[in-house]
Each structure stands twice: as C-alpha cells, then as structure tokens.
C-alpha cells in the first residue's frame, strides 16, 4: 500500500506542477483559459488526491492502532509524523476551497470567477503554504519509497524546483488579485 501511495504521490506532484504552471499563466493573463485537456488533468489530479487521502487515513489508523497496542504514543518523538498528517489535513481543506473558488466560467477566452477579493487571496496563499509544508516534510520518505539513491542531492533539487513553482503560484494569485482591484 505504501508503494501505491508513493506512486500516486509522484503522479500528484507531476500533475500539480503542470496545473501550477498553466493556472499561474492563466491567472497572470498570459494565456487564455478553458482548455479542456487541462480541466481533465485537474480532475484526474483530484481523484488521485482522494486516493492519496484514503491511503493516508488507512496508514495513519494503522499507526495509531500500533501505538495503542504498545501503550505508548511517543508524541514528542513523532512530531514530524504529526506535521505530515496535520499539513495533509490542512491541504485537503485548502484543495476543497481552491476547487470551490476556481469553479468559474470562461467568457471571451478569459477565465472569470465570481469574486476574487482579499479573503480569497489569503485562502490561496495559505493553500500554497500548506502544500509547501506537506511536500517539504514528505519528499524524503517519498524518494525512499520509490527506491531513489543519493537522496540528499536529488531531494534538494526537487525541493528547489517545487519551491520555484510554489513562489510562481503565489505571485500569480497576487497578480490575479491585483487585476480584480
């Protein structure tokens, strides 16, 4: 199950990067919206996220049962474990809000929302932060699960690329917000 979760996670990351690039370019007004292929990829990513959540809940439940059997939880020693779970839960909430906020329409080749004011901008910035925390705390175990060797340099490269995409996404949200003013 962990191997499937790792493969699903890599798929989510790849689709997320595609979504971040194209969505950021649309928000910044560089490309038009309404591409049906991108919409299908976004829905595929959402299904993969749902599978990842289900597997994550199962693995978390297994861990909690093992703690209960052992009679010791070692909460302080497992802060990273809980950071991963809490950031995942936060990301779920923000993914749902993201889907709700960006269910707009396309008119005259431009993607339009009903409203994108300060609260929506704040929610999207928190979304970017929650994804960053979740990816940063999980990238090393993901690479281990996929059998990647020479982790330090590889993980650093991946984190650099993902960080650049997250900054790009955050900037695109701010540009889109400014365009609403």
């Amino acid at each position: 199950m962990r191997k499937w979760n790792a493969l699903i996670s890599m798929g989510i990351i790849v689709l997320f990067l595609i979504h971040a690039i194209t969505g950021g370019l649309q928000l910044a007004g560089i490309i038009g919206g309404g591409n049906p292929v991108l919409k299908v990829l976004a829905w595929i990513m959402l299904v993969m996220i749902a599978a990842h959540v289900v597997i994550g809940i199962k693995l978390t439940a297994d861990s909690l049962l093992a703690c209960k059997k052992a009679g010791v939880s070692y909460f302080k020693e497992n802060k990273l474990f809980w950071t991963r779970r809490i950031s995942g839960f936060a990301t779920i909430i923000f993914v749902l809000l993201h889907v709700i906020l960006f269910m707009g329409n396309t008119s005259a080749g431009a993607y339009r929302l009903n409203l994108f004011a300060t609260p929506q901008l704040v929610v999207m910035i928190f979304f970017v932060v929650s994804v960053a925390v979740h990816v940063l705390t999980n990238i090393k175990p993901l690479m281990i699960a996929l059998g990647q060797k020479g982790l330090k340099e590889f993980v650093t490269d991946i984190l650099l690329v993902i960080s650049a995409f997250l900054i790009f996404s955050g900037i695109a949200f701010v540009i889109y917000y400014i365009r609403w003013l």
Side-chain angles (χ1 to χ4, degrees), residues 55-131:
I55 293 170
I57 289 170
K58 167 74 170 106
L59 294 174
T60 301
D62 291 348
S63 296
L64 293 175
L65 286 173
C67 287
K68 188 174 182 178
K69 273 186 179 179
V72 189
S73 68
Y74 300 109
F75 182 78
K76 284 186 178 184
E77 290 79 7
N78 290 317
K79 287 180 186 173
L80 187 55
F81 171 85
W82 289 109
T83 300
R84 291 175 178 145
R85 292 332 186 252
I86 293 167
S87 67
F89 183 73
T91 301
I92 292 167
I93 292 169
F94 289 119
V95 163
L96 293 174
L97 291 173
H98 179 77
V99 170
I100 291 167
L101 287 175
F102 283 93
M103 285 236 177
N105 57 50
T106 304
S107 61
Y111 192 76
R112 302 280 183 235
L113 298 177
N114 296 328
L115 176 68
F116 196 80
T118 304
Q120 288 82 359
L121 176 64
V122 170
V123 167
M124 289 302 98
I125 297 298
F126 278 130
F127 175 48
V128 170
V129 170
S130 72
V131 168

Side-chain angles (χ1 to χ4, degrees), residues 95-169:
V95 163
L96 293 174
L97 291 173
H98 179 77
V99 170
I100 291 167
L101 287 175
F102 283 93
M103 285 236 177
N105 57 50
T106 304
S107 61
Y111 192 76
R112 302 280 183 235
L113 298 177
N114 296 328
L115 176 68
F116 196 80
T118 304
Q120 288 82 359
L121 176 64
V122 170
V123 167
M124 289 302 98
I125 297 298
F126 278 130
F127 175 48
V128 170
V129 170
S130 72
V131 168
V133 171
H134 193 64
V135 170
L136 292 173
T137 59
N138 282 291
I139 197 73
K140 188 173 179 180
L142 174 61
M143 293 296 101
I144 291 169
L146 294 173
Q148 180 63 39
K149 296 181 181 175
L151 280 177
K152 188 172 183 174
E153 186 174 321
F154 190 69
V155 167
T156 304
D157 292 344
I158 289 173
L159 292 177
L160 178 63
V161 169
I162 291 172
S163 296
F165 282 107
L166 290 170
I167 286 175
F168 173 75
S169 296

